[in-house]
């Protein structure tokens, strides 16, 4: 187990990253170090994907189970060609349409990819991030960068440099802080190794967007509510995820039923002496500013623009922890567009504690 170290904090301009700072971080990666960096989705914890020793240090820092493979981040098509055994035309089409961006493609791997990265699978997950800092860093390192989300395993993914520091300070060489990640939820993981492409994890690129290019796209059963069906195909989907300290409850129903039920539950949990938070939206927030009032209220954004909700969700869960919330009552969302990814993360965070009307 590596000794604790001083974690360098590198504040960087997200639009025009200072070259000397990029070079500093790239050198750490080239020497086998582990560096957290911003992407448009969430912060990643990067290491040279071709260096098994460096990759093992990612697992150690996060406390991540060894059988959960990593996404490899690339900056050009040449890297993709080197890392894959074959590149089907539909992959090229998706790359043209959605890269750089929040879409990860699972493809047959080449011999270049060490088994540490793929957890022994014969496929590799690849993505080109749309963040100027991430792209500059991969280019400067001149290596593909393996990077899971830069949180302690099981915790909500980090959307700011400070989230990363709170989880990983002392365990990694550096954090490059380029401000908040704007998508706020991780990339969509799409398996292209079966005849019909399968969404293994819903994310920043929606199912509807993929259908426009591919026609048929299926959704791995493991991404939805776990009703005791098939185990998820993406190894990472079976673990506890995104869980804050407080117990998360999802409340379903139309806006009226949902807000009334949440108000009843606030009263109930407060009578039990527990500290209660509500995750609400601009449209519903006024319902929670009169008694029974929650101890903490987070307004995630407007229901008219769910990308706002996506962008704030993980930070909101972390804020609940900081305020010592014991119970977190979350509103639910229609599972269309980015709503599918929002509900996937909320369900995981709740461990399937779902309150139906
Ligand atoms: O937006 C993102 O994807 C972020 C940023 C940093 O790029 N990364 C991220 O990585 O979310 P991570 O490790 O937290 O999630 C990767 C997911 C896991 O569910 C993992 O099981 C799945 O991708 N995965 C990786 N390689 C795979 C493979 N070969 N086959 C199937 N699933 C794979
Ligand atoms: Mg993760």
């Amino acid at each position: 187990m590596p000794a604790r170290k001083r974690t360098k904090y590198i504040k960087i301009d997200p639009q025009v990253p200072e070259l000397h700072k990029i070079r500093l971080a790239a050198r750490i990666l080239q020497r086998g170090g582990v560096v957290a960096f911003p992407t448009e989705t969430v912060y990643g914890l990067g290491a040279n994907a071709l260096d098994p020793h460096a990759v093992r240090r990612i697992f150690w820092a996060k406390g991540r189970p060894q059988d959960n493979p990593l996404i490899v981040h690339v900056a050009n098509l040449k890297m993709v060609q080197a890392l894959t055994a074959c590149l089907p035309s539909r992959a090229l089409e998706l790359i043209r349409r959605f890269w750089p961006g929040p879409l990860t493609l699972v493809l047959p791997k080449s011999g270049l990819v060490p088994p540490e990265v793929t957890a022994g699978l014969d496929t590799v997950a690849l993505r080109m991030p749309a963040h100027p800092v991430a792209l500059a860093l991969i280019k400067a390192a001149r290596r593909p960068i393996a990077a899971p989300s830069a949180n302690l395993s099981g915790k909500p993914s980090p959307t700011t440099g400070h989230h990363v520091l709170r989880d990983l300070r002392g365990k990694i060489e550096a954090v490059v802080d380029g401000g908040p990640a704007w998508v706020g939820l991780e990339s969509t993981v799409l398996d292209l190794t079966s005849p019909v492409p399968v969404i293994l994890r819903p994310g920043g690129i929606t199912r509807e967007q993929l259908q426009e290019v591919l026609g048929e796209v299926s959704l791995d059963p493991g991404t939805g509510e776990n009703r005791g069906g098939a185990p998820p195909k993406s190894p990472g989907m079976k673990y506890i995820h995104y869980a804050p300290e407080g117990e998360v409850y999802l409340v379903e129903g139309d806006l009226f039923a949902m807000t009334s039920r949440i108000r009843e539950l606030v009263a109930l949990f407060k009578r039990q002496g527990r500290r209660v938070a509500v995750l609400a939206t601009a449209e519903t927030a006024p319902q929670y500013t009169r008694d029974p009032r929650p101890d903490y209220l987070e307004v995630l954004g407007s229901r008219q623009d769910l990308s706002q909700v996506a962008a704030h969700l993980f930070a909101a869960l972390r804020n609940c922890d900081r305020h010592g919330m014991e119970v977190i009552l979350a509103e639910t969302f229609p599972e269309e567009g980015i709503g599918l990814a929002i509900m996937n993360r909320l369900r995981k965070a709740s461990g399937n504690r779902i309150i139906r009307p």
Side-chain angles (χ1 to χ4, degrees):
M1 188 184 291
R4 283 187 77 80
K5 52 183 70 61
R6 210 188 135 260
T7 298
K8 276 197 184 66
Y9 177 76
I10 306 168
K11 181 97 192 150
I12 201 163
D13 184 329
Q15 295 315 322
V16 193
E18 298 89 334
L19 195 58
H20 68 282
K21 295 181 182 175
I22 290 289
R23 284 196 180 131
L24 170 64
R27 264 198 308 276
I28 300 174
L29 289 169
Q30 289 170 341
R31 290 182 189 145
V34 175
V35 176
F37 60 94
T39 82
E40 77 280 26
T41 58
V42 301
Y43 273 66
L45 185 59
N48 176 1
L50 307 180
D51 176 349
H53 182 73
V55 169
R56 278 198 291 271
R57 299 196 42 229
I58 294 179
F59 286 88
W60 172 80
K62 282 185 58 108
R64 182 178 177 104
Q66 297 281 343
D67 65 346
N68 190 3
L70 307 179
I71 295 172
V72 179
H73 296 68
V74 298
N76 55 51
L77 205 57
K78 238 170 103 181
M79 286 186 182
V80 177
Q81 281 156 345
L83 298 166
T84 52
C86 67
L87 203 50
S89 61
R90 61 186 183 182
L92 285 167
E93 224 171 299
L94 291 167
I95 287 171
R96 255 198 308 276
R97 181 77 187 269
F98 297 114
W99 280 12
L103 176 65
T104 295
L105 301 177
V106 174
L107 293 161
K109 79 175 197 75
S110 76
L112 201 61
V113 187
E116 282 79 1
V117 170
T118 63
L121 298 175
D122 52 11
T123 54
V124 63
L126 298 178
R127 152 166 138 82
M128 188 187 292
H131 196 296
V133 172
L135 283 174
L137 187 57
I138 302 164
K139 281 180 195 153
R142 282 180 281 109
R143 287 152 179 73
I145 301 298
S149 49
N151 50 285
L152 283 175
S153 206
K155 291 285 146 205
S157 299
T159 52
T160 70
H162 286 282
H163 294 163
V164 178
L165 280 176
R166 239 168 259 138
D167 278 14
L168 298 175
R169 191 199 286 273
K171 293 182 162 176
I172 62 178
E173 274 71 23
V175 177
V176 181
D177 185 342
W182 56 86
V183 176
L185 299 180
E186 302 87 342
S187 63
T188 304
V189 179
L190 184 71
D191 184 356
L192 286 179
T193 62
S194 52
V196 175
V198 186
I199 295 174
L200 303 181
R201 178 180 73 182
I205 298 291
T206 65
R207 183 184 192 179
E208 294 84 346
Q209 284 175 295
L210 294 173
Q211 280 166 335
E212 262 179 48
V213 176
L214 297 169
E216 202 183 349
V217 178
S218 67
L219 198 56
D220 185 65
T223 58
E225 247 172 291
N226 213 332
R227 293 201 173 92
K233 216 181 152 204
S234 178
M237 300 302 281
K238 69 174 183 272
Y239 293 107
I240 297 172
H241 255 99
Y242 318 117
E245 300 295 327
E247 277 173 21
V248 179
Y249 293 83
L250 306 191
V251 182
E252 294 186 342
D254 60 42
L255 282 197
F256 179 75
M258 196 165 62
T259 51
S260 322
R261 195 64 191 275
I262 289 177
R263 286 167 44 79
E264 283 167 27
L265 289 167
V266 168
L268 175 81
F269 284 118
K270 285 188 81 164
R271 276 201 300 278
Q272 296 176 357
R274 300 174 83 186
R275 290 169 62 74
V276 186
V278 171
L279 306 187
T281 48
E283 291 78 5
T284 55
Q287 300 299 319
Y288 311 113
T289 52
R290 54 199 169 94
D291 282 339
R293 228 176 273 241
D295 298 292
Y296 183 66
L297 178 64
E298 272 276 350
V299 182
L300 297 172
S302 167
R303 289 184 167 269
Q304 303 306 312
D305 177 13
L306 289 187
S307 68
Q308 296 174 11
V309 173
H312 295 123
L313 180 61
F314 286 144
L317 291 172
R318 283 177 176 262
N319 287 341
C320 289
D321 277 356
R322 269 198 312 131
H323 288 88
M325 293 298 124
E326 297 167 293
V327 174
I328 301 163
L329 302 171
E331 294 186 354
T332 48
F333 300 90
E335 298 194 48
E336 293 150 17
I338 193 73
L340 187 66
I342 293 171
M343 286 305 297
N344 169 265
R345 305 306 190 273
L346 275 174
R347 258 190 223 111
K348 302 243 161 213
S350 76
N352 278 322
R353 285 187 206 92
I354 297 168
I355 294 168
R356 303 202 162 81

